[in-house]
Amino acid sequence: MRDKVGWGIMGTGKIAKAFATDLAILPDAQLVAVGSRTAETSSQFGRQFGVPNCHTGYEELVTDPDVDVVYVATPHAFHKENMLLGLEAGKAVLCEKPFTINAEEAETVIRVAREKKLFLMEAMWTRYIPLVVKLRELLADGVIGDLQMLEVGMAFVAPRDDAYYFFKPHLGGGILLDGGAYAVSIASMLFGGPPARIASMAHLGETGVDEQSAAIFGYGQGQLAVLYMSFRTGIPPAARIMGSKGRIAIHPPIFKPTQLTISRNDVPDEVIEIPLEGNGLNYEAAEVMRCLRTGRLESETMLLDETLEIMRTLDQIRAQWGLKYPMEVPSQ
Ligand SMILES: NC(=O)c1ccc[n+]([C@@H]2O[C@H](COP(=O)([O-])OP(=O)(O)OC[C@H]3O[C@@H](n4cnc5c(N)ncnc54)[C@H](OP(=O)(O)O)[C@@H]3O)[C@@H](O)[C@H]2O)c1
């Protein structure tokens, strides 16, 4: 491994730009390449972030010898093929959430990474945010006793922007695979696995994607999680974690929190605050580089088997609504 890990970014949208900004604060990272569908966007991104190798097309990006790891920042409908492109070229891959459209796609990609012995990780940046690391420590120390209930919500008024994936079924639109993927991932992290039972209801809008929904997860020891998500109303995205001896409120935004409050009977509330560096995407990038330098093929904090379970949970929720994306329906 070189002194600086060479990053290549696939796609030049919102999250790609935020990630490029955050790579700049990591001394052992170098943004060496970008790949875009068009030459113009590629060179524009290159100029903005000082990227030396600006490629037209994703194939050129993954075959660039300066690239050690490819960050896939395209809409989820393309994650499977984009990850496979990177892996087939022998590169390590970090892929935005949701990892894929469904569990079947995730299984394929994970199998290829394992066969090729290449690093692969879902970019669930929330797991690596310092306050979330602290939260896991607090829960492991039993600060609020045994975990009993979780309430987590992700809701914002989504713009009806034709250029964006939110309302487009062929791009994997809908709030579940967008904001909902965080809520399901947080439940998985806290309860240590998938729910035993799921009850869910959604409203599918005129384009056919889920515009809002709620789900209740039941776990083996009677624990419950209540999840709600919406493209039709805005609430500060927060979570309440309730245990046998108290509760923890995670203050918004839940996907990159900096503050939590611990409440227990007969004790004053305790507020813990841990500020963020950058946009907060630097922590997952640092984890990828730690794994690459130590020869790990997976991050222990976001194991591929858990990513797969999360995709299975998302599949089960959609199955309750009867929502299939066009790429999941066999053509006649
Ligand atoms: N925005 C966020 O805050 C955020 C946060 C966490 C995760 N994510 C995830 O990151 C992924 C990308 O989200 P984003 O918000 O960055 O989306 P975006 O702004 O639309 O950017 C996606 C990029 O993917 C490329 N692309 C390839 N095929 C495309 C197609 N058919 N239609 C549109 N774009 C296509 C485009 O780059 P080129 O034209 O240059 O190839 C485009 O700029 C999603 O899976 C999302 O869930 C986003």
Side-chain angles (χ1 to χ4, degrees), residues 12-15 36-37 58 76 79 96-97 164-165 182:
T12 56
K14 284 187 198 160
I15 201 72
S36 171
R37 292 170 301 168
Y58 301 152
H76 8 299
H79 286 179
E96 260 311 327
K97 51 64 32 195
Y164 211 55
Y165 60 78
Y182 287 109

Side-chain angles (χ1 to χ4, degrees), residues 210-278:
D210 49 307
E211 293 189 0
Q212 54 187 5
S213 69
I216 301 173
F217 291 177
Y219 296 87
Q221 305 299 314
Q223 307 99 319
L224 292 172
V226 178
L227 295 77
Y228 50 93
M229 52 210 83
S230 181
F231 270 167
R232 294 178 145 212
T233 183
I235 47 153
R240 286 196 299 162
I241 303 163
M242 294 157 265
S244 53
K245 294 183 185 161
R247 57 193 186 277
I248 296 178
I250 311 289
H251 300 266
I254 184 66
F255 43 86
K256 54 166 186 177
T258 54
Q259 208 181 49
L260 60 78
T261 301
I262 307 170
S263 304
R264 284 163 290 191
N265 289 345
D266 309 323
V267 187
D269 282 3
E270 185 185 344
V271 177
I272 296 179
E273 185 163 7
I274 309 179
L276 279 185
E277 261 190 280

Side-chain angles (χ1 to χ4, degrees), residues 59-74:
E59 179 83 42
E60 258 189 37
L61 171 78
V62 301
T63 50
D64 182 333
D66 293 340
V67 172
D68 299 310
V69 51
V70 175
Y71 168 59
V72 175
T74 56

Side-chain angles (χ1 to χ4, degrees), residues 2-147:
R2 298 171 249 240
D3 285 352
K4 288 187 181 239
V5 172
W7 285 85
I9 297 186
M10 186 184 285
T12 56
K14 284 187 198 160
I15 201 72
K17 290 187 175 110
F19 192 83
T21 307
D22 280 2
L23 277 185
I25 58 179
L26 294 171
D28 57 341
Q30 190 168 11
L31 177 50
V32 290
V34 61
S36 171
R37 292 170 301 168
T38 64
E40 196 192 339
T41 322
S42 184
S43 53
Q44 213 171 41
F45 190 96
R47 277 195 302 278
Q48 187 176 352
F49 297 101
V51 190
N53 309 352
C54 299
H55 300 293
T56 307
Y58 301 152
E59 179 83 42
E60 258 189 37
L61 171 78
V62 301
T63 50
D64 182 333
D66 293 340
V67 172
D68 299 310
V69 51
V70 175
Y71 168 59
V72 175
T74 56
H76 8 299
F78 310 110
H79 286 179
K80 177 190 164 193
E81 68 177 75
N82 294 162
M83 281 192 272
L84 288 176
L85 196 66
L87 293 169
E88 293 298 347
K91 305 294 183 184
V93 172
L94 170 70
C95 181
E96 260 311 327
K97 51 64 32 195
F99 192 64
T100 47
I101 287 291
N102 56 37
E104 191 184 342
E105 289 189 358
E107 261 177 81
T108 303
V109 183
I110 291 169
R111 191 181 60 245
V112 170
R114 286 181 173 157
E115 278 167 9
K116 293 186 169 294
K117 299 193 170 25
L118 288 167
F119 177 85
L120 176 63
M121 180 178 133
E122 176 187 357
M124 185 41 79
W125 56 315
T126 306
R127 300 253 169 138
Y128 304 93
I129 298 291
L131 189 89
V132 177
V133 175
K134 178 71 184 171
L135 168 69
R136 288 196 295 268
E137 286 168 13
L138 291 168
L139 294 172
D141 289 346
V143 166
I144 58 164
D146 298 327
L147 184 55

